[in-house]
């Protein structure tokens, strides 16, 4: 009788211990999930509907004009007209780059250069609070660099789709890659583009000048 009672008591204790440990593990898992979700909420991406014109602010337009000047420098140097700038949380331009494919190689895109610069010079928090302004939407290579560097925002003047249409209009052979929208590669941050009006016309004319010279 006592032996049976001891067996029953041990079984009850083991069962209670298993239930208690399971409850603790479940609670820890829930807390981790809540923490992860809160962290992700800090950098939620807002994607403009693809190929719809974007209303940029006056501040945005100022930085996009800086990008156009860099694109013109590229064009004057005999390169494709692409230019980009990095802007910090104080709305200060802290780094600039232009296309240097003719000087280096086909990978020398300005967005790649700025992603490298940001990784080498800024903390993660500083990078997450950056905005990259650029004359054209990232190619998949640049979008990947942007995402891995965890740069907060991407503001582009012309879309990859628009560039493809322009190249067809100029009777230029298509690029050797498939252009995937940047928003399908970059998980976190803010993406705005394309623009419209005079600035968009300017970058189109620069591309036309490069290919029809």
């Amino acid at each position: 009788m006592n032996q049976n009672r001891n067996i029953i008591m041990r079984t009850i204790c083991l069962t209670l211990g298993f239930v208690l440990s399971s409850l603790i593990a479940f609670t820890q898992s829930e807390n981790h999930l809540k923490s992860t979700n809160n962290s992700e909420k800090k950098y939620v991406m807002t994607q403009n509907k693809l190929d719809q014109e974007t209303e940029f602010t006056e501040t945005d337009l100022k930085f996009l004009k800086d990008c156009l000047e860099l694109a013109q420098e590229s064009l004057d140097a005999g390169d494709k007209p692409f230019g980009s700038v990095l802007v910090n949380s104080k709305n200060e331009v802290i780094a600039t780059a232009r296309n240097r494919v003719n000087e280096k190689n086909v990978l020398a895109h300005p967005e790649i250069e700025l992603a490298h610069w940001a990784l080498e010079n800024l903390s993660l928090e500083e990078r997450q609070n950056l905005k990259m302004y650029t004359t054209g939407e990232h190619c998949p290579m640049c979008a990947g660099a942007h995402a891995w560097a965890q740069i907060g925002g991407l503001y582009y003047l012309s879309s990859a789709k628009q560039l493809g249409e322009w190249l067809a209009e100029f009777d230029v052979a298509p690029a050797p890659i498939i252009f995937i929208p940047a928003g399908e590669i970059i998980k976190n941050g803010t993406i705005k583009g394309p623009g419209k009006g005079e600035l968009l016309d300017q970058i189109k004319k620069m591309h036309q000048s490069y290919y029809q010279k």
Side-chain angles (χ1 to χ4, degrees), residues 32 49 93-94 108 119 121 147 169 171-172 174 191:
H32 175 73
K49 290 183 179 179
V93 175
I94 57 173
L119 285 167
N121 292 278
E169 180 183 334
D171 198 25
V172 177
I191 300 179

Side-chain angles (χ1 to χ4, degrees), residues 10-204:
R10 284 200 298 270
T11 302
I12 292 172
C13 289
L14 288 171
T15 302
L16 288 174
F18 175 76
V19 170
L20 182 60
S21 62
S22 297
L23 285 172
I24 292 172
F26 177 77
T27 302
Q28 291 174 338
S29 176
E30 285 289 295
N31 290 337
H32 175 73
L33 181 60
K34 288 178 182 178
S35 174
T36 301
N37 287 340
N38 287 338
S39 175
E40 289 177 351
K41 286 178 183 176
K42 189 175 180 182
Y43 302 107
V44 175
M45 181 180 71
T46 56
Q47 172 68 57
N48 181 53
K49 290 183 179 179
L50 297 179
D51 303 318
Q52 287 191 352
E53 294 174 341
T54 300
E55 291 292 342
F56 287 116
T57 66
E58 287 299 319
T59 301
D60 293 335
L61 294 174
K62 172 183 177 295
F63 295 129
L64 288 171
K65 288 177 182 177
D66 292 338
C67 294
L68 282 170
E69 291 181 5
L70 290 163
Q72 184 63 53
E73 288 182 19
S74 291
L75 188 60
D76 292 342
D79 216 328
K80 296 177 182 178
F82 291 97
S84 309
V85 302
L86 281 180
V87 176
N88 65 15
S89 58
K90 298 178 182 179
N91 277 335
E92 300 169 331
V93 175
I94 57 173
T96 67
R98 66 169 178 82
N99 221 44
R100 295 185 182 276
V101 168
N102 285 1
E103 297 176 22
K104 298 180 180 180
N105 57 55
V106 293
L107 304 182
H109 295 190
E111 302 97 321
I112 289 279
E113 182 178 335
L114 292 182
H116 277 290
W117 184 92
L119 285 167
E120 292 168 357
N121 292 278
L122 302 174
S123 68
L124 174 60
E125 182 178 359
E126 288 172 325
R127 298 197 305 273
Q128 288 172 331
N129 285 294
L130 288 177
K131 295 176 184 177
M132 185 186 294
Y133 289 85
T134 186
T135 51
E137 183 182 10
H138 289 339
C139 71
M141 176 182 70
C142 293
H146 186 120
W148 281 113
Q150 297 193 50
I151 294 170
L154 167 61
Y155 294 65
Y156 62 87
L157 184 55
S158 62
S159 72
K161 181 179 179 181
Q162 287 171 324
L163 179 58
E165 292 171 348
W166 296 345
L167 296 184
E169 180 183 334
F170 307 151
D171 198 25
V172 177
I177 61 171
I178 297 173
F179 281 96
I180 302 169
E184 294 183 15
I185 298 174
I186 301 171
K187 288 177 62 177
N188 301 317
T190 301
I191 300 179
K192 289 178 68 176
K196 61 181 180 179
E198 181 182 350
L199 298 188
L200 187 63
D201 290 341
Q202 285 184 36
I203 192 61
K204 180 180 180 180

